[in-house]
Amino acid sequence: MEARNDQLRQAMRSHAVVDQAIGVLIAIARIGPEQGWEVLREVSQHANIKLRQVAEEIIAWPRTGELRPAVRAVLRRRLDLDDCRRVPWWCAGPPGSGTAGRGGR
């Protein structure tokens, strides 16, 4: 019974992390929640990284400016992030990060 409770707690935490990452994608790329979910799934599949790990990285991205190259490549392609008129934040780097250009790469 305790193992089942631990699994449920972990699932709830993972769900919250994924929801937060979708929120980051909505804010930076001006997309809807369903597209945010699809993007997370695609990044996870193409980069061969667990969904929760991708979500954690995306949550930290605005603060750190850091993304794995594989994650960055899928986001760039999927969200058309090279269009600086559409997503100026990607081109300028995250606020306060001290990194400029292409999302702080």
Side-chain angles (χ1 to χ4, degrees), residues 1-14:
M1 183 66 130
E2 186 62 33
R4 175 97 169 119
N5 287 339
D6 288 343
Q7 287 177 331
L8 289 172
R9 279 191 286 274
Q10 179 62 32
M12 288 174 43
R13 282 192 295 271
S14 292

Side-chain angles (χ1 to χ4, degrees), residues 44-99:
S44 176
Q45 290 172 352
H46 289 289
N48 197 27
I49 303 168
K50 290 184 179 187
L51 185 70
R52 180 184 168 100
Q53 291 173 323
V54 170
E56 289 171 343
E57 192 166 326
I58 288 174
I59 291 168
W61 174 35
R63 185 180 69 257
T64 67
E66 299 294 326
L67 284 174
R68 294 179 214 201
V71 172
R72 183 180 295 110
V74 176
L75 288 177
R76 175 179 285 141
R77 179 178 41 78
R78 185 64 165 78
L79 298 175
D80 193 24
L81 291 176
D82 286 326
D83 182 353
C84 293
R85 294 172 310 224
R86 182 166 134 41
V87 190
W89 183 88
W90 175 263
C91 297
S97 70
T99 59

Side-chain angles (χ1 to χ4, degrees), residues 11-45:
M12 288 174 43
R13 282 192 295 271
S14 292
H15 188 9
V17 168
V18 168
D19 284 346
Q20 289 172 35
I22 290 170
V24 170
L25 294 174
I26 289 169
I28 64 162
R30 299 181 181 130
I31 60 174
E34 287 182 23
Q35 188 179 1
W37 166 248
E38 291 170 13
V39 169
L40 278 181
R41 262 194 15 231
E42 186 175 331
V43 170
S44 176
Q45 290 172 352

